[in-house]
Amino acid sequence: MIVDQGLAVGSHTTEVHQMRVSEIKSIAEFDQLKANWDHVYSADPHAHLFLSWLWLRGWFEIAPYQWSVLALRPDDASEYVAFMPLITRGPKLLGFRPIQLIAMGGQPLASYTGFACLPEYEEEALAALADHIQRQPSWDRFEMEEVMDPRLDLFLDCFPGEDYDIQRSHGMPTLYIPLPDDWNPSLQTFMGSKGRRNMRRSLRQVEEHNGYQMTFTQEDSLERDIEILLTFWQWRWGFKPIAQWRRDTMRFFFENRRLWLATLWDSERPVAALAALTDEVKKTFYPYIVGHDPAYAKLSPGKLMLGYSIQDAIKNQFQVYDFLTGVDEYKFSFGPKRRNTTNIIISRKRPKSVAANGVTDIVERTRNEMIKILGNVKRAGIVKRLWFWYQANIKSYYSG
């Protein structure tokens, strides 16, 4: 169902005009937006993969939450000029939600969140989005996690302090490399001398060893290659409840010819694998999952796969290699640039919401302490199993 609302938006700027806000709540309706969405996405310099129609289309298929998309246009005769994906979540007790949470769409799989908007409509569109969200009476708390968008303050300025409490914190750091036009000069650009030697040595070992070979996923090898990669990934990190979501995402991107998945073999034994999601519009290459057989640690197979994928990304004229969130040590050997996402919690100040948010804060603090305590010893036997049981069940509790 699409619900249109004509909104007289706020008066924070004289440039704000009347906008119409539609709520898209079904896959069929979302499919109809593709051409319009692709146009806005292409024109928005701040949009990233996790705001693309393709990413969201795949995520909506597997999302464990109730989702919606806010779509804005100046009038009924115009195309949409801005989009904001949202989800509704919150703990259920006896079939009821004592606190209503809304959050950014794409979580928990999306590394970044944000808005997609035509540049010429930014101020009025973000004001209209904020106004629309404030008019919805049911929510108590709006959690905006891992936002990577410089327009965030334009949106937050529309929430008056007498009615809303806004908490801001740093999100996850994210690393990226602006890619040059040629591989060999690029090593000089973003790697130190030691890193260059190690990378060249690893690549030479693969090239000169008769048993090593690199294969790229084809339709008949997709399932095998995905399982190899997820097995390696979980060897390092332990069992992950979101593995099935990642499996579905890789399948969907492969079907749409936007999955880069390479596997390194030693004869018939898989050594390492890396899957990347590619954005042809923004010319950005996103290494999504990487894993390797620990028996081959001396080869530095993880770094080798990253180096190989960077080389291939340059060859295919990508302009940015985005490591996604996290500052793992191995990423720094490639000399990346750094930026940060932002986390925001917007809480209503009405009595019912204050009480509900107080309970949520207690739950969150308890959860964070459990993560801290268990995280320190999660690799030890039964504690490791309890860790992953806890992680799976707390996600289930919140998704309802």
Side-chain angles (χ1 to χ4, degrees):
M1 177 179 65
I2 299 180
V3 180
D4 274 342
Q5 294 185 341
L7 300 178
V9 296
S11 57
H12 76 291
T13 172
T14 58
E15 297 294 322
V16 172
H17 300 99
Q18 188 173 16
M19 301 283 285
R20 296 192 67 82
V21 182
S22 302
E23 292 187 21
I24 288 82
K25 296 185 177 182
S26 75
I27 291 289
E29 292 158 349
F30 186 71
D31 286 347
Q32 295 174 19
L33 293 177
K34 185 177 186 309
N36 191 171
W37 194 295
D38 287 347
H39 169 68
V40 173
Y41 179 76
S42 178
D44 186 347
H46 306 299
H48 45 71
L49 175 75
F50 303 103
L51 286 170
S52 67
W53 183 92
L54 183 63
W55 166 268
L56 289 166
R57 179 62 173 78
W59 183 80
F60 289 155
E61 288 277 6
I62 61 176
Y65 311 110
Q66 179 183 339
W67 61 268
S68 64
V69 172
L70 302 183
L72 285 76
R73 54 186 170 181
D75 53 67
D76 291 338
S78 301
E79 290 196 325
Y80 293 108
V81 300
F83 302 101
M84 185 179 189
L86 297 172
I87 58 176
T88 301
R89 68 185 187 192
K92 276 187 177 179
L93 297 176
L94 302 176
F96 296 96
R97 293 188 190 273
I99 180 170
Q100 295 289 333
L101 305 178
I102 56 174
M104 303 296 280
Q107 292 290 312
L109 289 186
S111 294
Y112 318 131
T113 62
F115 328 92
C117 182
L118 293 178
E120 61 268 31
Y121 286 96
E122 288 176 354
E123 290 195 4
E124 57 256 59
L126 293 177
L129 285 169
D131 190 81
H132 175 84
I133 289 168
Q134 291 172 45
R135 288 168 180 259
Q136 310 312 304
S138 59
W139 66 274
D140 302 296
R141 185 183 184 106
F142 184 8
E143 297 182 348
M144 306 178 71
E145 297 178 303
E146 311 302 342
V147 180
M148 191 169 72
D149 196 311
R151 301 165 296 193
L152 178 60
D153 285 335
L154 282 177
F155 179 74
L156 296 177
D157 286 346
C158 299
F159 287 82
E162 61 268 23
D163 298 320
Y164 301 92
D165 176 63
I166 297 177
Q167 302 175 48
R168 181 192 293 259
S169 61
H170 288 299
M172 290 287 287
T174 172
L175 306 175
Y176 70 99
I177 303 171
L179 294 176
D181 297 329
D182 186 69
W183 163 249
N184 287 319
S186 72
L187 290 179
Q188 301 284 345
T189 301
F190 56 72
M191 294 190 77
S193 58
K194 182 179 179 180
R196 291 197 301 272
R197 286 197 303 271
N198 292 340
M199 178 58 62
R200 289 190 173 116
R201 183 177 64 249
S202 295
L203 290 171
R204 190 165 54 249
Q205 282 182 269
V206 171
E207 292 167 357
E208 296 176 354
H209 191 295
N210 290 332
Y212 285 138
Q213 61 174 328
M214 192 79 71
T215 62
F216 294 90
T217 294
Q218 304 295 323
E219 187 171 358
D220 60 354
S221 67
L222 177 66
E223 296 302 323
R224 178 202 67 186
D225 294 348
I226 287 177
E227 292 312 311
I228 289 170
L229 175 55
L230 288 176
T231 298
F232 286 157
W233 184 58
Q234 292 182 102
W235 276 358
R236 179 179 182 186
W237 301 109
F239 169 72
K240 291 285 189 179
I242 65 171
Q244 181 58 49
W245 292 349
R246 291 190 178 270
R247 182 181 291 110
D248 292 340
T249 298
M250 286 188 282
R251 286 172 180 158
F252 184 76
F253 269 73
F254 179 82
E255 291 168 2
N256 287 275
R257 293 186 286 185
R258 291 293 179 266
L259 178 71
W260 188 98
L261 175 50
T263 306
L264 176 64
W265 301 80
D266 182 359
S267 297
E268 296 184 357
R269 179 175 177 174
V271 174
L274 184 147
L277 309 180
T278 62
D279 186 341
E280 300 290 341
V281 175
K282 302 294 184 179
K283 305 304 293 181
T284 303
F285 194 95
Y286 295 86
Y288 190 53
I289 305 178
V290 62
H292 68 272
D293 184 340
Y296 289 82
K298 289 186 178 180
L299 182 64
S300 298
K303 287 184 181 178
L304 187 149
M305 295 302 293
L306 286 167
Y308 197 88
S309 66
I310 291 171
Q311 187 176 21
D312 212 49
I314 292 171
K315 178 182 176 182
N316 287 282
Q317 299 182 321
F318 286 93
Q319 297 171 0
V320 177
Y321 190 93
D322 191 325
F323 284 104
L324 303 176
T325 51
V327 286
D328 308 85
E329 184 179 351
Y330 67 86
K331 297 177 182 177
F332 283 100
S333 63
F334 294 91
K337 297 180 181 294
R338 176 171 174 157
R339 58 195 172 193
N340 275 81
T341 60
T342 302
N343 293 331
I344 299 292
I345 296 176
I346 304 175
S347 303
R348 276 193 155 122
K349 289 186 176 180
R350 62 189 182 187
K352 181 253 183 193
S353 297
V354 170
N357 281 307
V359 172
T360 300
D361 288 339
I362 293 173
V363 171
E364 286 292 320
R365 283 197 295 272
T366 302
R367 173 180 179 272
N368 291 337
E369 285 301 313
M370 287 288 290
I371 288 174
K372 182 178 179 181
I373 293 169
L374 291 176
N376 290 332
V377 289
K378 68 177 180 180
R379 299 189 184 280
I382 189 170
V383 176
K384 181 177 178 179
R385 291 194 292 273
L386 285 171
W387 163 262
F388 289 112
W389 174 88
Y390 169 74
Q391 288 285 74
N393 281 273
I394 198 69
K395 290 182 191 304
S396 174
Y397 174 71
Y398 269 95
S399 66

